Structure formats: C-alpha cells, structure tokens
Amino acid sequence: MLEDKNNSYQHILKYTSIFGGVQGFVILIGLVRNKFMALLLGAGGMGFNSLLTSVQNFASQCTNLGISFGAVPKLSDYYEQQRQDQLAYYIQVIRLWSLMASLLGFVFCVVISPLMNDLSFAWGNHTLHYAILGLAVAMLAITGGETAILKATRRLGALARIQVYTAIISVFLSIPLYYYFGHSGVVPAIVLIAAMGMLTTIFYSYRLYPLRLHFNRSQFKDGAGMIKLGLAFVLAAAIGSAAEMMIRAFLNVEGSLDDVGLYNVGYMLTITYAGMVFSSMETDYFPRLSAVSKDIAKTNEMVNKQMEVSLLLLSPMLVALLTALPILVPLLFSREFLPVVTMAQVAVLAMYFKVLSLPIAYVTLARSYSLSYLLLETSYFIVLVAAIVVGYRTWGIWGTGVAIVIAHVAELLMIGCYSYWKYDYRCTWTIVRYVMVQMLIGFTAYAVSCLVDGWYYWIAEAALIVISTAYSIHILRQKTHLWESLKRKFRT
C-alpha cells in the first residue's frame, strides 16, 4: 500500500512542486546576481566568469572522488539501523577521503593552470587565475563530503536552508567585488562563494557530528567501496564539465568573450529554468525507482508516471519562457544581451526531449549499470560538442541553440533504444498523446516567435500559453483529483 502511495500521481506532483520551489528560489537569487554582473562587467565579464566557472567545475568533478554520491548508501544504512558506532566511524572515513580529495583538487588546478591558459585565451596570461581556483575546488570537496552526511542522515531541511543561504550570501559577497574591482573581482568572488558554501554546510554538519581529527590506515581501505560506487557518476560529470569547458573555449577562440557570455546566458535561461522540474528526480524519484528497479513492470509504471507529470508541469512553463524571453533578457541582464534571445528561444525546444529522456536515464543508475551510464553520457556530450562547433560556424550564436536541440534529440533516441533493448522499457500511448499535443503547442509558439511581431505576437503566444496550461491542468485534475484536494484544504 505504501509502495502504491509513493508511486501515485499525487506523490509525484507534491514532491516535484516542493523541490522545484526550492530550486526556483535559488535560481531567482542567482538571476539577481547575474543581473548585477551583466550591468557591472558586461558580456565580456560574464564570459570570463563562465570560463573560470567551467574550469572549476571540471577540476572539481575530476578530483572529488564521487564522495557526495558514493558515501550516501552505506552511511544511510547505518543511520536507518541506528548503528551509532559504525555511523560515527564511517563519518570519519568520509571526512578523511574528503580531505584527500580537497588536496588533490588544489594540486590538480595548479598543475593544469598553464595548459588551461593556453587553450582558453588568445590574449593575456591567466595562469594565476586558474591556479587560485584550486582553493575553491578544495573547499567544494569538503562541502561534498559534509553534504553526503546530511543527505544520509535525512537532514533535508538543513540542505534546503544551506542552498538558500549560500545563494543569498553569494549576492552580497560578489556584487561589491564586481563594482570595485571589475574583472579582477571575478576570481575572488568564486573563491569566497565556495568558502561560504563550505562554512554554511559544516556549521550544520559539525553540530550533528563534531569533527574528530583521528585518522588511521584502516579508514583508507574502508573508503574504497565508496569511491568505486561514485566513480562512474564522477567520470560522467567530469566529461560533461570538460565538454562545457571545450565549448566555451571554442567560442572564445573562434568568436569572442562576448559570444561566450551570450551562450552562457542562453544556456542558463533554458537548461537551468527547466531544472526546477528536474530537481526532484534525484531527491525523490531516484530512490523510489531504485527500490523497484528489478521489477520490469513496476519500473515501467514508475518511469511513465514520472514522465507524464514532468511533461505536463514543464510544458506550459516552456511556452511561457519562450514567449517572455524578449522581455526577460534585458530585464534580467541588459540590452547588450538581446542577440541571445533567438538562440534561447530555439534552445527551449530541447527541454521537451530532455523531460522524456531523463526519467529513463535514471533506470541505468538504479540498476547500477555504471559503465552503460558512462557510455551513454559520453555519447551525448560528444554529439553536443560536435553540434555546437558545426552550428556556430554555420549560423553563429543562433546555431548553438539549434545544436542543443539536436543533441537532446540524439540523447533521447540513444537512451530510448538502449532501454528498450536492455530493460524492456515500454512507453505508453498515453505519453505519446501528451507529447504530440504539448510539442505541437511548443513548436507552434516558436514558429510564432519567428514570424509574427507586435501585438499579434503577444496575443498568439498568450493563447498558446492558455491552451497548454489548460490541457495540463485538465489531465492532472483527472489523475490526481487536484481540485478536490485543494477544496478540502481550503475548507479546513
């Protein structure tokens, strides 16, 4: 009965909304920070920040040893069974390996800094900037270990507060640096934001489990299983970070820092915005999927229900985003970024394919097929980089938006075919019907954005938003008895 409840449309809708709301607030705070960055530093400054951030992410993914992912299952098992001695010992193991990852990340950044300078800049010497990023990478490794402890011990409220506090503090730290130091304030801002994230996390974690500086050789061996579990996840993330870094370096060398800034804004507005719906999958959907991963029928049912709800929630948001981009871009950034509107509008269409592929992709992780997951992720990023290179050289910055759509279509085809063959996954005709309706509305909205101007544009787009929203509400009402639930809450 509990399993049925956890697999219900009501459950999926509830937790997608909760986690999406938290993620939405964090994104909103981030947009405020980016607005000031755009005004104070311009597109070139945002491109500089994007390059450094992508290198930081790449270095972090290469050296964090997957602790934030691999440490959770075993530690969670100790917590559930109330085995306090083993719990305390394994926390020591996590902190030892986190310290090792921290040192590794710092050294890695220092070593690769000359190479990164040569690859990503055609002017100036930025070796020192990349070396200083090692401080941020080191602190992110510590944060990852403490985050794993909070996840495993069910301190989800603390994790939500950490995200919110870190986002708010980042605004108050970074804006003065951008204002007083310009481009020179970018690197200190990145380091200070990482420091605040680490300090906020350990504030909660150390209160629950105080730091004990007592390490021994057995802890190295006992952490090997944790590292092995997270390795495929880390490698896939590292490849993704490397791909994004290569894309930004290519745009900088082939074009300019302005193009890097434009691409970064367009990518953020589409991918990050849709992430509000996707954010619940790792926290809620993935654990539930893991529990039934050996049962083909239950796996298919859970994947399809998650796909339905995510598609119906996201589709009206995508049409609204596509419509509002001509207003949002100058409002959130500045008029200097208006050339990115056409790129972002076409990139929005990629999210229709992402919302279909992501629930299926989690099946590979749920079944612990780490090599398959790694190969699928690598194939997607190869397609993305190749498509960006061709798209940019052919159509400029708009072509990068087309490339993002092509890459996501290819990802859906690869994951869909693999899951059909390997896991006997079957998509229902109900989903096919929902996809046909919502994609037709979304692609029509994009056609309107290309062909219609003035008041006719806003009237036509508003009508499409209403149609998409009404369709989603109608379906969700049938499946979750949404209105009846809201009425009962209102009466009480």
Side-chain angles (χ1 to χ4, degrees):
M1 194 69 178
L2 180 61
E3 183 180 297
D4 292 339
K5 181 179 179 181
N6 288 339
N7 198 24
S8 68
Y9 288 103
Q10 291 93 333
H11 177 94
I12 299 170
L13 182 61
K14 175 184 177 182
Y15 285 95
T16 300
S17 301
I18 290 174
F19 293 120
V22 173
Q23 185 68 19
F25 179 78
V26 173
I27 291 172
L28 179 62
I29 297 298
L31 289 174
V32 173
R33 175 170 166 262
N34 288 326
K35 172 67 174 181
F36 281 96
M37 186 189 298
L39 293 175
L40 295 173
L41 303 182
M46 292 198 72
F48 184 50
N49 180 77
S50 174
L51 272 174
L52 293 175
T53 302
S54 63
V55 172
Q56 172 195 299
N57 292 336
F58 170 68
S60 179
Q61 296 294 352
C62 285
T63 60
N64 64 20
L65 306 179
I67 294 172
S68 63
F69 176 79
V72 173
K74 192 170 184 179
L75 190 64
S76 179
D77 182 53
Y78 289 150
Y79 178 77
E80 285 291 334
Q81 297 182 33
Q82 296 296 306
R83 297 163 65 180
Q84 297 301 325
D85 291 340
Q86 290 91 334
L87 182 70
Y89 174 77
Y90 202 65
I91 287 175
Q92 287 289 95
V93 173
I94 293 171
R95 286 174 173 164
L96 172 61
W97 279 91
S98 296
L99 179 60
M100 294 173 57
S102 177
L103 294 174
L104 178 62
F106 178 78
V107 172
F108 182 78
C109 279
V110 173
V111 170
I112 69 168
S113 56
L115 175 63
M116 294 313 307
N117 177 69
D118 294 338
L119 289 176
S120 57
F121 282 95
W123 51 271
N125 190 337
H126 300 272
T127 302
L128 181 60
H129 292 150
Y130 285 122
I132 294 174
L133 286 180
L135 295 173
V137 173
M139 288 183 283
L140 288 174
I142 300 295
T143 303
E146 301 304 320
T147 299
I149 294 171
L150 293 174
K151 283 181 180 179
T153 55
R154 310 296 191 269
R155 299 303 193 272
L156 299 182
L159 287 169
R161 287 191 292 272
I162 289 167
Q163 291 182 26
V164 173
Y165 295 156
T166 303
I168 294 174
I169 292 172
S170 71
V171 173
F172 290 100
L173 283 176
S174 58
I175 291 175
L177 290 171
Y178 300 149
Y179 180 78
Y180 287 108
F181 300 105
H183 287 205
S184 298
V186 171
V187 175
I190 292 174
V191 174
L192 284 175
I193 290 170
M196 288 302 102
M198 182 188 70
L199 292 174
T200 307
T201 305
I202 65 177
F203 171 77
Y204 284 97
S205 182
Y206 285 7
R207 287 175 63 189
L208 293 168
Y209 303 99
L211 178 64
R212 297 174 182 173
L213 297 176
H214 176 69
F215 302 126
N216 55 60
R217 292 183 179 180
S218 65
Q219 293 173 351
F220 286 95
K221 181 180 179 181
D222 293 336
M226 168 182 68
I227 302 305
K228 182 179 179 181
L229 180 62
L231 186 59
F233 192 81
V234 167
L235 288 175
I239 291 170
S241 296
E244 288 300 326
M245 184 179 61
M246 290 171 60
I247 289 170
R248 285 163 174 79
F250 164 77
L251 294 175
N252 186 40
V253 174
E254 191 83 4
S256 66
L257 270 179
D258 287 353
D259 286 341
V260 178
L262 291 173
Y263 171 81
N264 191 59
V265 167
Y267 188 89
M268 178 183 61
L269 285 172
T270 53
I271 308 298
T272 307
Y273 179 77
M276 289 190 295
V277 173
F278 301 149
S279 64
S280 69
M281 292 195 186
E282 182 177 348
T283 310
D284 173 60
Y285 167 66
F286 178 57
R288 292 187 294 111
L289 182 65
S290 299
V292 300
S293 61
K294 303 303 180 183
D295 189 314
I296 294 176
K298 290 181 178 178
T299 297
N300 281 348
E301 180 187 6
M302 188 170 291
V303 170
N304 288 329
K305 284 185 176 180
Q306 184 70 41
M307 194 182 296
E308 288 178 32
V309 173
S310 299
L311 175 68
L312 293 170
L313 283 177
L314 187 62
S315 295
M317 296 167 61
L318 293 179
V319 179
L321 174 63
L322 191 152
T323 301
L325 278 171
I327 295 176
L328 286 177
V329 169
L331 178 65
L332 297 175
F333 302 95
S334 68
R335 298 190 66 84
E336 182 183 2
F337 291 85
L338 279 174
V340 82
V341 170
T342 54
M343 173 265 185
Q345 285 180 321
V346 69
V348 166
L349 302 178
M351 295 301 98
Y352 285 101
F353 301 98
K354 183 71 173 180
V355 79
L356 299 176
S357 65
L358 194 58
I360 310 173
Y362 272 103
V363 178
T364 306
L365 279 175
R367 294 197 172 191
S368 300
Y369 291 164
S370 54
L371 182 59
S372 298
Y373 174 78
L374 180 61
L375 291 175
L376 288 169
E377 286 293 291
T378 302
S379 299
Y380 161 72
F381 286 116
I382 290 174
V383 174
L384 177 63
V385 173
I388 290 286
V389 171
V390 175
Y392 181 77
R393 286 178 173 171
T394 306
W395 298 297
I397 198 67
W398 178 77
T400 62
V402 176
I404 291 172
V405 177
I406 293 173
H408 280 83
V409 172
E411 180 185 36
L412 176 60
L413 291 174
M414 287 187 293
I415 292 176
C417 292
Y418 179 81
S419 299
Y420 182 91
W421 166 71
K422 186 71 174 180
Y423 314 129
D424 201 28
Y425 168 72
R426 298 294 184 268
C427 178
T428 65
W429 282 106
T430 300
I431 292 177
V432 173
R433 185 171 70 250
Y434 297 162
V435 168
M436 291 176 63
V437 173
Q438 291 290 14
M439 276 197 181
L440 176 62
I441 296 171
F443 278 76
T444 302
Y446 177 70
V448 169
S449 71
C450 296
L451 302 174
V452 182
D453 295 317
W455 284 107
Y456 293 108
Y457 167 83
W458 296 107
I459 293 172
E461 296 287 27
L464 291 169
I465 294 172
V466 170
I467 294 171
S468 179
T469 304
Y471 182 79
S472 290
I473 290 176
H474 172 69
I475 301 299
L476 289 172
R477 179 183 177 183
Q478 289 180 335
K479 293 181 177 294
T480 65
H481 307 291
L482 183 61
W483 297 144
E484 289 75 3
S485 176
L486 290 175
K487 288 176 181 178
R488 285 195 297 270
K489 290 182 180 180
F490 181 76
R491 287 168 185 165
T492 55

